[in-house]
Amino acid sequence: MTAAGIAGRAQTAGWRPARVAARLRRSWPSWLLILVTLLFTAPFLWVFTHSLESSAEWAQNKTVLWPHAPTLANYRAVLFKDGFLTNVANSVIVAAATTAATLVFGSLAGYALARLPMRGKSAILGFILLAGFFPLTAMIGPLFKVMSRLGLLDTLTAVSISDLIYTLPLATWLLASLFAQLPEEIEEAAMVDGCTRLGALRRVVAPLAAPALATAAVLSFILAWSDFTFSLSFLQDESHFTAPLAMLQLGQTKFYTYYNLTDATVVITALPIVVLVLVMQRRIVSGLTGGAVK
Amino acid sequence: MAEIRFDHVSCVYAGAARPAVDELDLTVEDGEFLVIVGPSGCGKTTSLRMLAGLEQVSSGAIFMGERDVTRLSPRQRDIAMVFQSYALYPTMSVQQNIEFPLKVAGVPRRERAARAREVAEMLDLTEYLSRKPAKLSGGQRQRVAMGRAIVRRPQAFLLDEPLSNLDAKLRVMTRTQIAALQRRLGVTTVYVTHDQVEAMTMGDRVAVMRDGVLQQCASPRDIYLRPCNTFVAGFIGSPPMNLLPVPTAERGVRLGAAVVPLPRGTLAALNGDREVILGLRPDAFELTSEAQDAVEVHVSLVEILGSEAYVYGQAAIDGRATDIVLRADPVDAPEHGAVVHARPLPERSHVFSASTGQRLGS
Amino acid sequence: MSAVDVAPATAPRARRALRWRPGERTGYAMASPAVIALAAITAYPLLWNLWTSFHDVDPLTGGTGQFVGLSNYRAVFSSQTGLLAALMHTLIYMVVSVTVEMALGLGIALLLNRPMRGRALCRTLILLPWAVPTVVSALVWQTLFDPQGGGVNYMLSMLHLPGSHTVWIGATASATWASILVADAWQSTPFVALMLLAGLQAIPRELYEAARVDGASAWQTFRGVTLPNLRPALMVTLVFRTLQAFLIFDIIYALTQGGPGTSTQTISYMTYYNFIVSDNFGVGAAISIVMVIVCLLIAGVYRVLLRPST
């Protein structure tokens, strides 16, 4: 609070209309921000509200803020009758697998790029980052052929491997930045104290790297969870679909205009991400913006 | 049994124009406190790191006792190191930091804790044992780093400028503590610094390095009284020795109006050189009122440091105005702008070759 | 002076066994899983596409597999196949959406840059739309754009604004594109805002204080201090967004399937269509190569613009 701010505050204290008006005029950025935030969250709220609406109420089209008789029937139906639970499980499997592979590959590559003497370091890093910009739909044709030849068509494995394109560039970049920041002397101290290089990594570097690994893991999970293109291209059997794909397919073929049911699938699909973001928001923000602004 | 020997050791970085360390031959006696000193880039830290096993030796060999350790990893060498930045493990407490080497070696928990506590007491760290490094002051962190090194009872201690991150007062205090500690423990110690005061006050012997080459390795006294070349002469001692290019005369050298006589051995070593470098420390002059046998100095600045004073000025030597520093008694120190007469004391003079910088004579 | 000259002749070459410091070889080994995985997913398809685009390939019927020269490419640019139209649609959409999103994102970033209570919460909530899958956004807005029960028309009628009976999706091309833009912007603007916010927060406080001392107005400060220092972040975000907008696929597929008719088919959509639906791999490959070239052009243009004109 600057001196001017405090003085200004004094001028607008109190509840007389003129003073209130002055306060509103002064705090217009806050109000605008609240409005903007509402605009961005309102669609979620709308969808959530309508997911609690029974199909009967939905047909009557009365609900605005809250259904008269909110029910979880839609969720039960969608998860158990329409098999959406399987789809959610598939998404979990794919996202978890991709995240695990990303952490392993990304840490190895990130550490090597940050620490070890290599010629062509910038070329390697440049390639990894460039891969993140590659047009996805250009890949699905050739990858389709490869997957079918490998017998991986219609499997979650195919999707998981392809999802690495979302996660590896960002994760490697993040982890390389982190490892570059860790002072090399700590590893050296550990080696002088009796560790092998691997031992030093395990005992000393790993705990320090844990936060960055967590960030990389969260971002990878979110990105892999969102995949649609590869699921759409490789998966054929409904029971193999991932959640986003099943959500769309059910909505288009089974639920049709019964948006209350579709909304239930939407909420389920979005929920893990919402939870992750709310819990890890600071990590996510720092992970995204850490190296972006060079 | 921990005598350390560098045998023709060189370290060359790929693509570098000259070696970082060039054919270093150095022996550290068992139990000795050796200080390697020199300006930045002189190769002292590289030498220490080669000894630790953190830097590759391009050629030559390093011995600890009878063992050739040149190709061994750090953990196989039984050494402990204190890094300039202390390199404490940030996720561990002070106690865990100190215990770490013991934990890696498989020492059982109770013994670990006991030894750590013992070391903490020695270093006055007992009340900080559960704190993490981030919550410690610079001096405390430095002591933790030392504790981590001591607890192992290694064959040798390696210290890489451990005092450079401390403030001046703390530096002086810690200096004496480290020296006392080493004497008490009796472990062979190699200590690297750029500060010549540290080198002179702490070392049993001092090794001066420059541009990767060892200049001289001798006791502080010998280095001070008989520097082997102009670099060592100018590096050790503060304010630095006056190195004055002077013409030779029949029995000595001519310094302004004075003639400084030289011993016969030195005269012989002159070998017909017309010009040499005369080294005279600020305390090698006597300030007189007589112009005879003295050099005339125009005073430009006087620094009074309490127990001593230093006079900075110009003298006409061999036709050129040369900068010169003299020590004076603070009680009757001259004033700015005054002209004083400084008589050089021949027994405190050093002569160096004008071409090679090497010491001439004894 | 090469490294070979300097290495002393006496350096022992034979013994590599007990070196504590792993050198280049370990480095390459560690980086290789990531590189190989990415190369398999990007470089291989690229090369395959390059080869295929010049041949007649059809995985089901086998095709002739013959070299057909540029006929696939000609198909891309012929107006008959509608691919040229798709390319045009995509480019126009790219320009419009990037402009809108950058402007909005900058505004939001400036808002978020002010210190106020609850700022972190707002930032998190605004970030949510970006994090959820794209098809979630598509379906959310499908619900909202529903002519009868949708929130958009409801709000419009509540506020007594015109257009409250519009059929947003699937009726007219312009309304459909508008709904695509909304769904995309809802997701992308937070990303832009976040990137620009980071850029804003990197501007040292002293620059603003100096401007205030010099008596600059709010607009002058914005132009003289904020914008120039924001340039790197702006450029990076622009590149990201432009490429993403050009490649837009998920939302199109989920929301409109390229309809009404073919008016909202984008170039990515056509690639998908040719690869997976009509199995016309040759044409699909040709479109892919064209896409890659355009992407490189876009990146190249920005690279040139990014060179600081200090």
Side-chain angles (χ1 to χ4, degrees):
Chain A
M1 283 242 87
T2 62
I6 295 176
R9 227 42 203 305
Q11 282 180 335
T12 56
W15 289 103
R16 295 219 296 280
R19 295 265 171 107
V20 172
R23 258 217 305 281
L24 283 174
R25 238 181 297 133
R26 178 177 294 276
S27 59
W28 68 267
S30 306
W31 290 112
L32 189 54
L33 184 60
I34 293 178
L35 180 64
V36 169
T37 312
L38 276 176
L39 278 177
F40 277 96
T41 46
F44 284 122
L45 296 172
W46 179 277
V47 166
F48 178 65
T49 306
H50 285 273
S51 71
L52 294 173
E53 215 180 350
S54 68
S55 298
E57 272 199 62
W58 164 258
Q60 287 169 0
N61 199 17
K62 272 195 300 186
T63 308
V64 179
L65 280 177
W66 197 253
H68 286 280
T71 166
L72 289 175
N74 296 334
Y75 288 95
R76 275 194 291 264
V78 147
L79 283 173
F80 302 115
K81 215 164 45 100
D82 299 305
F84 196 61
L85 189 59
T86 316
N87 303 117
V88 173
N90 289 340
S91 274
V92 172
I93 295 173
V94 168
T98 307
T99 303
T102 304
L103 284 180
V104 171
F105 292 174
S107 311
L108 287 175
Y111 185 80
L113 286 169
R115 278 271 190 270
L116 303 182
M118 282 193 288
R119 273 166 294 175
K121 238 191 245 202
S122 46
I124 295 181
L125 187 61
F127 169 72
I128 293 182
L129 293 178
L130 197 64
F133 285 107
F134 206 75
L136 288 178
T137 45
M139 296 186 241
I140 54 183
L143 284 180
F144 182 91
K145 289 213 81 191
V146 170
M147 295 301 172
S148 78
R149 220 181 307 156
L150 289 175
L152 286 176
L153 210 55
D154 199 25
T155 63
L156 295 176
T157 317
V159 177
S160 186
I161 296 177
S162 311
D163 283 352
L164 287 173
I165 194 74
Y166 300 120
T167 60
L168 261 185
L170 183 61
T172 310
W173 169 277
L174 256 182
L175 293 171
S177 304
L178 162 90
F179 285 123
Q181 278 171 16
L182 289 181
E184 195 156 0
E185 286 195 335
I186 294 195
E187 284 169 64
E188 291 178 344
M191 284 194 279
V192 168
D193 281 345
C195 294
T196 57
R197 192 173 193 95
L198 230 57
L201 286 177
R202 185 171 58 90
R203 291 181 193 259
V204 172
V205 176
L208 284 174
L213 284 173
T215 309
V218 170
L219 282 172
S220 295
F221 193 88
I222 291 179
L223 291 171
W225 183 271
S226 313
D227 167 61
F228 176 73
T229 311
F230 292 119
S231 311
L232 178 66
S233 309
F234 299 150
L235 300 173
Q236 285 148 0
D237 188 326
E238 273 170 34
S239 64
H240 294 167
F241 283 1
T242 54
L245 183 60
M247 177 181 78
L248 185 66
Q249 210 241 9
L250 287 171
Q252 283 173 346
T253 58
K254 238 180 177 179
F255 303 151
Y256 245 22
T257 53
Y258 278 94
Y259 288 141
N260 59 329
L261 291 168
T262 316
D263 289 345
T265 59
V266 169
V267 171
I268 297 174
T269 309
L271 195 59
I273 304 300
V274 170
V275 168
L276 268 180
V277 170
L278 288 177
V279 168
M280 312 280 276
Q281 53 104 354
R282 216 175 327 136
R283 281 209 193 289
I284 294 174
V285 169
S286 73
L288 284 177
T289 60
V293 186
K294 279 179 271 199
Chain B
M1 224 328 81
E3 174 201 80
I4 296 175
R5 187 158 59 90
F6 287 84
D7 185 8
H8 278 71
V9 173
S10 293
C11 176
V12 187
Y13 291 124
R18 64 166 177 81
V21 175
D22 199 353
E23 302 268 321
L24 177 66
D25 276 311
L26 185 61
T27 304
V28 186
E29 313 288 342
D30 183 22
E32 183 181 18
F33 192 128
L34 179 89
V35 179
I36 306 182
V37 71
S40 46
C42 71
K44 55 191 190 295
T45 303
T46 310
S47 305
L48 192 74
R49 285 170 63 87
M50 280 195 288
L51 179 58
L54 297 172
E55 209 74 59
Q56 275 174 19
V57 175
S58 306
S59 67
I62 302 180
F63 294 88
M64 284 185 64
E66 299 299 313
R67 278 204 310 166
D68 180 351
V69 299
T70 323
R71 300 280 156 222
L72 296 186
S73 66
R75 61 191 289 262
Q76 294 168 308
R77 300 193 187 200
D78 197 17
I79 46 147
M81 185 155 168
V82 178
F83 292 81
Q84 188 175 358
S85 66
Y86 317 137
L88 300 181
Y89 307 122
T91 55
M92 303 186 203
S93 69
V94 167
Q95 175 155 9
Q96 287 168 324
N97 261 281
I98 296 181
E99 284 184 11
F100 184 78
L102 303 177
K103 185 171 177 190
V104 173
V107 172
R109 178 180 305 196
R110 205 164 302 167
E111 189 188 333
R112 270 196 338 241
R115 280 167 70 171
R117 221 168 298 136
E118 183 190 329
V119 166
E121 260 174 52
M122 214 189 299
L123 294 169
D124 223 354
L125 287 170
T126 336
E127 49 181 291
Y128 305 115
L129 279 176
S130 53
R131 281 209 214 163
K132 294 241 174 87
K135 298 270 169 72
L136 298 174
S137 73
Q140 289 158 353
R141 283 188 217 165
Q142 202 264 355
R143 277 181 277 151
V144 176
M146 303 243 0
R148 190 174 67 187
I150 295 176
V151 81
R152 293 180 42 197
R153 305 179 195 151
Q155 280 198 8
F157 284 140
L158 277 53
L159 297 103
D160 186 4
E161 307 207 44
L163 303 182
S164 57
N165 290 341
L166 300 177
D167 63 61
K169 207 156 156 227
L170 204 54
R171 217 180 293 176
V172 175
M173 215 165 66
T174 316
R175 210 168 70 196
T176 45
Q177 284 174 357
I178 293 181
L181 197 59
Q182 193 270 346
R183 235 167 299 155
R184 177 167 152 194
L185 297 173
V187 179
T188 313
T189 303
V190 182
Y191 184 106
V192 162
T193 179
H194 63 272
D195 183 333
Q196 52 103 17
V197 176
E198 276 173 36
M200 298 293 277
T201 54
M202 296 174 81
D204 291 330
R205 276 196 302 158
V206 175
V208 181
M209 285 186 75
R210 182 199 196 194
D211 288 342
V213 180
L214 177 67
Q215 307 291 305
Q216 185 173 7
C217 180
S219 68
R221 190 187 157 81
D222 284 343
I223 289 240
Y224 186 83
L225 293 178
R226 306 192 62 240
C228 74
N229 60 29
T230 49
F231 175 77
V232 177
F235 188 80
I236 301 286
S238 181
M241 182 192 287
N242 294 294
L243 295 167
L244 311 163
V246 294
T248 53
E250 208 190 278
R251 289 290 191 83
V253 291
R254 190 186 309 280
L255 181 65
V259 174
V260 181
L262 297 177
R264 204 167 308 164
T266 315
L267 282 172
L270 278 183
N271 222 359
D273 284 345
R274 291 281 203 77
E275 194 181 73
V276 291
I277 304 215
L278 179 66
L280 289 162
R281 295 202 185 271
D283 61 11
F285 293 88
E286 188 192 346
L287 294 181
T288 74
S289 45
E290 297 164 20
Q292 190 189 36
D293 285 339
V295 59
E296 195 176 270
V297 178
H298 296 261
V299 177
S300 53
L301 175 66
V302 178
E303 278 180 359
I304 304 197
L305 275 78
S307 59
E308 36 192 26
Y310 290 103
V311 177
Y312 295 80
Q314 270 88 37
I317 296 173
D318 201 20
R320 291 173 295 226
T322 317
D323 291 328
I324 199 167
V325 185
L326 316 165
R327 195 169 72 175
D329 190 342
V331 174
D332 44 36
E335 297 213 330
H336 163 79
V339 175
V340 299
H341 300 278
R343 187 175 75 89
L345 304 170
E347 63 275 17
R348 294 201 191 169
S349 65
H350 311 255
V351 180
F352 304 96
S353 157
S355 50
T356 65
Q358 291 299 117
R359 184 183 192 80
L360 295 175
S362 48
Chain C
M1 203 194 259
S2 75
V4 179
D5 289 348
V6 177
T10 52
R13 301 302 231 104
R15 293 185 275 174
R16 282 185 181 276
L18 291 170
R19 288 272 177 81
W20 74 274
R21 189 179 203 154
E24 272 192 319
R25 251 183 280 152
T26 319
Y28 288 135
M30 286 175 82
S32 54
V35 171
I36 292 176
L38 287 176
I41 306 176
T42 57
Y44 170 73
L46 183 62
L47 293 173
W48 189 94
N49 275 330
L50 205 49
W51 184 90
T52 310
S53 61
F54 292 112
H55 294 74
D56 175 22
V57 175
D58 186 329
L60 284 188
T61 68
T64 55
Q66 273 181 350
F67 181 76
V68 291
L70 291 173
S71 73
N72 285 325
Y73 286 96
R74 246 173 276 147
V76 174
F77 289 108
S78 94
S79 52
Q80 277 187 326
T81 47
L83 290 168
L84 195 60
L87 186 59
M88 297 278 75
H89 292 155
T90 315
L91 290 171
I92 297 174
Y93 175 75
M94 181 182 84
V95 172
V96 172
S97 74
V98 170
T99 314
V100 166
E101 286 158 11
M102 292 297 290
L104 281 179
L106 182 58
I108 297 177
L110 288 169
L111 262 186
L112 282 173
N113 198 28
R114 290 160 170 272
M116 50 180 119
R117 265 184 307 159
R119 174 166 69 148
L121 179 64
C122 288
R123 186 188 63 184
T124 312
L125 289 175
I126 292 179
L127 191 60
L128 276 177
W130 170 82
V132 295
T134 44
V135 287
V136 164
S137 172
L139 287 184
V140 163
W141 286 99
Q142 189 178 56
T143 312
L144 283 170
F145 277 127
D146 183 49
Q148 271 87 44
V152 174
N153 282 352
Y154 179 78
M155 288 303 297
L156 287 177
S157 69
M158 280 270 294
L159 297 172
H160 298 293
L161 289 171
S164 56
H165 292 294
T166 327
V167 176
W168 293 96
I169 304 177
T172 66
S174 40
T176 315
W177 274 115
S179 36
I180 293 174
L181 180 60
V182 170
D184 190 21
W186 185 64
Q187 281 215 298
S188 308
T189 312
F191 173 77
V192 172
L194 190 65
M195 294 277 129
L196 294 182
L197 180 62
L200 283 175
Q201 287 175 335
I203 302 180
R205 187 119 261 147
E206 289 100 39
L207 292 181
Y208 287 115
E209 290 170 355
R212 219 165 68 197
V213 166
D214 287 345
S217 70
W219 175 244
Q220 284 169 330
T221 313
F222 183 71
R223 271 198 66 190
V225 176
T226 315
L227 276 186
N229 282 289
L230 200 53
R231 201 153 179 272
L234 275 171
M235 285 295 146
V236 172
T237 316
L238 260 178
V239 176
F240 270 100
R241 265 316 299 158
T242 311
L243 285 173
Q244 286 169 353
F246 179 71
L247 298 173
I248 185 172
F249 171 70
D250 294 0
I251 294 190
I252 305 279
Y253 183 90
L255 205 57
T256 69
Q257 277 91 55
T262 56
S263 55
T264 58
Q265 285 177 341
T266 60
I267 196 83
S268 286
Y269 185 83
M270 297 310 294
T271 317
Y272 164 79
Y273 190 84
N274 276 283
F275 272 140
I276 305 289
V277 177
S278 64
D279 284 331
N280 201 337
F281 272 61
V283 176
I287 308 177
S288 302
I289 299 296
V290 170
M291 276 206 296
V292 170
I293 293 179
V294 175
C295 284
L296 286 174
L297 278 175
I298 295 176
V301 166
Y302 278 121
R303 190 110 195 269
V304 168
L305 289 179
L306 187 57
R307 261 174 230 307
S309 53
T310 41

